[in-house]
Amino acid sequence: MDYFELYHPGLSVDCVIFGFHDNELKVLLLKMKNSKQWAVPGGFVKKQEDVDDAAIRVLKERTNIEDIYLRQFHLFGQKNRSDDSYVDSLVQDHVIREDMDSWFRQRFITVGYFALVEFSKVTPSPDQNSERCEWVPLTNIPDLILDHQEIINEALKALRNKLRFGPVGKNLLPPKFTMTELRTLYETILGEELDRRNFQRKMLSFGILDKLDETRKGGAHKAPFLYSFNEEKYNQKLIKGFDTIW
Amino acid sequence: MDYFELYHPGLSVDCVIFGFHDNELKVLLLKMKNSKQWAVPGGFVKKQEDVDDAAIRVLKERTNIEDIYLRQFHLFGQKNRSDDSYVDSLVQDHVIREDMDSWFRQRFITVGYFALVEFSKVTPSPDQNSERCEWVPLTNIPDLILDHQEIINEALKALRNKLRFGPVGKNLLPPKFTMTELRTLYETILGEELDRRNFQRKMLSFGILDKLDETRKGGAHKAPFLYSFNEEKYNQKLIKGFDTIW
DNA sequence: CATTAATATGTCATAACGACACAATGAAAA
DNA sequence: TTTTCATTGTGTCGTTATGACATATTAATG
């Protein structure tokens, strides 16, 4: 396999994959072979492949799911994103073959994507250069390679921005969920508490939720009603967004 | 000059430069040599240059101003953005030298930036491949090369999005301006009319304007007061943004 | 069956919003 | 000089949205 033949030079994609589980926002990370460092799932872009499609491919390979919410959020193009010492260690640790040395020593720019996935649907699988693929809580991110911490930070900013623009949740929650679960998702993404009662009033006013007749039994207390997103109205709000300031 | 030596392969930047004049939103465009088509100002990225710096450089070269508002808004990475027939015509029209043929026939991805500039400060100058550099009203965009129309469309979306997030205007208006001029700027960007009185109330409530003691005389009617942006408070709002929904 | 802890719903004072009325002003016309 | 007129400056008013908080309801527990 000749990287130079196959891939667009000096270009990669990285996918910050968000999931929501145990009331925590998590990202899918790769544990690098023979290293203590972790990485955001990424890959190269084939010469005859849309950049977006490369991101979709990476996502599919790491999670085994398709058709999920995926958006480009930033291009990371600093000249010193990588340096030779990083590639030195990759070669030393036998993470990459020596004949691929010159490919990895290129200057790379990378396109950041963030994905919102339903936690339970994901089957994590590592890639060539990693030994494990795991969900990691955002509150507990380990040491990451290169500028991957910054990539995650920017992805979170983009996600927060998306939250203020339109609805979020259909891609992160199971089909049926309680109002508390939805609110906790928002609280987790925003990093702040929201008033339970006012949240419900406002969320319902958007008209994107269907209140189901079921309740979630089995909890220790009063059984909360279940809700689901109204596909049609949810998608309308996705496009039009919430109240514009102007 | 050897492009392959100098520049990062398969990568360009394009800058959608917005200006506001005669109550119209305009973009700075280049008229291609020996062609009826126009283009958004762009350039390549030097091998040892941040992508952002390449955009700054392009901007400086076309407008002769620096330190202006410039933000990356999207990477255009479709595999068929360009095609051979386009390069054929470039060579035929002697826009590019024949020995540079192979450089231009690469697959290119391009990073879109949008800039907000004060119209009167700009001194437009064409580049190697163009014969003119002019302001063109957004309402009257001519035939553009490649996907440049889409690039402008996306830039406008990004600008509109910026408008709902925080203050806009310091970079597009002269230091002193009337409330009507500011409102017209907003109306032009949004493409809709805004109530004169409610706009003023809301804009003042942000606390980013200083009302000056001067009025703009010389108009045909009552002389309107002049305002300027309060640098400190404007910048605060730029970072924090306006009212969040949540 | 009472207790408990969480859910469901409502209230209330205040702020924000959209629509609109009317007075003030300064250049231009009479 | 006086009147006209378009535009600016400011205010009002009814409605809706918001934040803070009170109270009733309910499923599981002991």
Side-chain angles (χ1 to χ4, degrees):
Chain A
M1 167 152 110
D2 184 347
Y3 283 76
F4 287 98
E5 278 285 322
L6 198 58
Y7 293 118
H8 193 95
L11 175 66
S12 61
V13 295
D14 286 299
C15 298
V16 179
I17 304 166
F18 289 106
F20 189 64
H21 188 62
D22 286 341
N23 285 347
E24 277 190 312
L25 196 59
K26 303 185 179 183
V27 290
L28 199 62
L29 293 182
L30 299 170
K31 166 76 170 54
M32 303 298 287
K33 281 179 184 167
N34 309 319
S35 164
K36 288 179 178 173
Q37 289 193 308
W38 295 63
V40 169
F44 303 119
V45 179
K46 292 178 186 170
K47 285 197 168 169
Q48 278 305 314
E49 178 184 42
D50 290 357
V51 178
D52 286 351
D53 288 337
I56 292 172
R57 178 170 50 78
V58 165
L59 207 62
K60 158 81 172 161
E61 287 171 3
R62 293 303 129 253
T63 64
N64 200 35
I65 51 177
E66 309 179 71
D67 290 331
I68 59 188
Y69 186 89
L70 181 69
R71 287 294 180 278
Q72 182 200 119
F73 67 91
H74 194 71
L75 175 109
F76 297 86
Q78 284 194 280
K79 61 174 178 289
N80 53 1
R81 285 189 58 240
S82 182
D83 57 19
D84 272 340
S85 67
Y86 172 70
V87 184
D88 288 345
S89 67
L90 284 184
V91 175
Q92 261 178 18
D93 299 341
H94 304 289
V95 176
I96 57 173
R97 294 209 325 263
E98 219 167 317
D99 57 334
M100 285 305 139
D101 195 86
S102 60
W103 169 264
F104 283 94
R105 280 187 203 282
Q106 286 180 93
R107 172 192 171 184
F108 273 95
I109 62 170
T110 195
V111 189
Y113 285 79
F114 75 94
L116 305 179
V117 305
E118 198 185 315
F119 188 86
S120 62
K121 285 192 180 167
V122 172
T123 311
S125 50
D127 66 9
Q128 264 191 337
N129 305 327
S130 55
E131 53 189 30
R132 298 205 310 274
C133 181
E134 291 175 13
W135 287 106
V136 178
L138 259 187
T139 52
N140 195 25
I141 301 290
D143 187 29
L144 299 176
I145 64 168
L146 302 175
D147 56 354
H148 282 208
Q149 181 64 58
E150 188 198 342
I151 292 177
I152 290 180
N153 293 346
E154 288 298 318
L156 184 58
K157 274 191 203 171
L159 177 55
R160 283 179 179 161
N161 214 38
K162 178 178 161 52
L163 209 67
R164 70 158 62 191
F165 191 86
V168 166
K170 193 157 70 81
N171 317 281
L172 284 166
L173 293 172
K176 299 175 181 181
F177 49 87
T178 67
M179 189 61 78
T180 299
E181 286 165 347
L182 180 58
R183 178 172 45 82
T184 306
L185 170 63
Y186 271 69
E187 289 176 336
T188 309
I189 292 177
L190 292 171
E192 57 177 317
E193 291 206 344
L194 301 172
D195 184 273
R196 187 170 56 85
R197 297 152 285 191
N198 296 335
F199 176 87
Q200 171 150 342
R201 176 173 53 185
K202 194 160 193 171
M203 184 57 76
L204 289 177
S205 77
F206 293 145
I208 57 173
L209 292 179
D210 289 334
K211 186 174 185 173
L212 307 180
D213 284 333
E214 312 168 55
T215 54
R216 162 140 330 150
K217 312 257 178 178
H221 307 290
K222 176 174 178 178
F225 279 100
L226 289 173
Y227 293 85
S228 65
F229 287 110
N230 182 306
E231 287 282 335
E232 194 185 346
K233 293 178 180 173
Y234 186 96
N235 291 331
Q236 277 176 14
K237 286 286 182 187
L238 259 191
I239 297 166
K240 292 194 175 182
F242 293 150
D243 6 351
T244 55
I245 303 274
W246 303 106
Chain B
M1 168 152 110
D2 183 347
Y3 283 75
F4 288 99
E5 277 284 322
L6 199 57
Y7 293 118
H8 192 96
L11 175 66
S12 62
V13 295
D14 286 301
C15 298
V16 179
I17 304 167
F18 289 106
F20 188 64
H21 189 63
D22 286 340
N23 284 348
E24 277 189 312
L25 196 60
K26 303 184 179 185
V27 290
L28 200 62
L29 293 183
L30 298 169
K31 167 75 171 52
M32 303 298 287
K33 281 180 185 166
N34 309 319
S35 163
K36 287 180 178 173
Q37 290 192 307
W38 295 64
V40 168
F44 303 120
V45 179
K46 292 179 186 170
K47 284 197 168 168
Q48 279 304 313
E49 178 183 42
D50 289 358
V51 178
D52 286 351
D53 288 337
I56 292 172
R57 178 170 50 78
V58 167
L59 207 61
K60 157 81 171 160
E61 287 172 3
R62 291 303 130 253
T63 64
N64 200 35
I65 51 176
E66 310 179 70
D67 290 331
I68 59 189
Y69 186 89
L70 181 69
R71 289 292 180 280
Q72 182 199 119
F73 67 91
H74 194 71
L75 175 109
F76 298 86
Q78 284 193 280
K79 60 174 179 289
N80 52 1
R81 284 189 60 240
S82 184
D83 57 19
D84 272 340
S85 68
Y86 172 69
V87 183
D88 289 345
S89 67
L90 284 183
V91 175
Q92 263 178 19
D93 299 341
H94 304 288
V95 176
I96 56 174
R97 295 209 323 265
E98 218 168 316
D99 57 333
M100 284 304 137
D101 195 87
S102 60
W103 170 264
F104 284 94
R105 281 187 202 281
Q106 287 180 93
R107 171 192 172 185
F108 274 95
I109 62 170
T110 195
V111 190
Y113 285 78
F114 75 95
L116 305 179
V117 305
E118 198 184 316
F119 187 87
S120 63
K121 286 192 179 167
V122 172
T123 311
S125 49
D127 66 8
Q128 265 192 336
N129 305 328
S130 56
E131 54 189 28
R132 298 205 309 275
C133 181
E134 290 176 14
W135 287 106
V136 178
L138 259 186
T139 52
N140 194 25
I141 302 290
D143 187 28
L144 300 176
I145 64 168
L146 303 175
D147 55 354
H148 282 209
Q149 181 64 58
E150 189 198 342
I151 292 177
I152 290 180
N153 294 345
E154 288 298 318
L156 184 59
K157 273 192 202 169
L159 177 56
R160 283 181 179 158
N161 214 37
K162 178 178 161 51
L163 209 68
R164 70 157 64 191
F165 190 88
V168 165
K170 194 156 69 82
N171 316 281
L172 284 167
L173 293 173
K176 299 175 180 181
F177 50 87
T178 68
M179 189 61 80
T180 299
E181 288 166 346
L182 180 58
R183 178 171 46 82
T184 307
L185 171 63
Y186 272 67
E187 290 176 335
T188 309
I189 293 176
L190 292 172
E192 58 178 318
E193 291 206 343
L194 300 171
D195 184 273
R196 184 173 61 87
R197 295 151 288 191
N198 296 335
F199 176 87
Q200 172 149 342
R201 177 173 52 185
K202 194 160 192 173
M203 184 56 76
L204 288 176
S205 77
F206 294 145
I208 57 173
L209 291 179
D210 289 334
K211 185 173 186 174
L212 307 179
D213 284 333
E214 311 168 55
T215 54
R216 158 123 40 200
K217 311 258 177 179
H221 307 289
K222 175 171 180 179
F225 279 100
L226 289 172
Y227 292 84
S228 64
F229 287 110
N230 182 305
E231 288 282 335
E232 194 184 348
K233 293 176 181 172
Y234 187 96
N235 291 332
Q236 278 176 14
K237 286 286 181 185
L238 258 191
I239 298 166
K240 291 195 176 182
F242 294 149
D243 7 352
T244 54
I245 304 273
W246 304 104

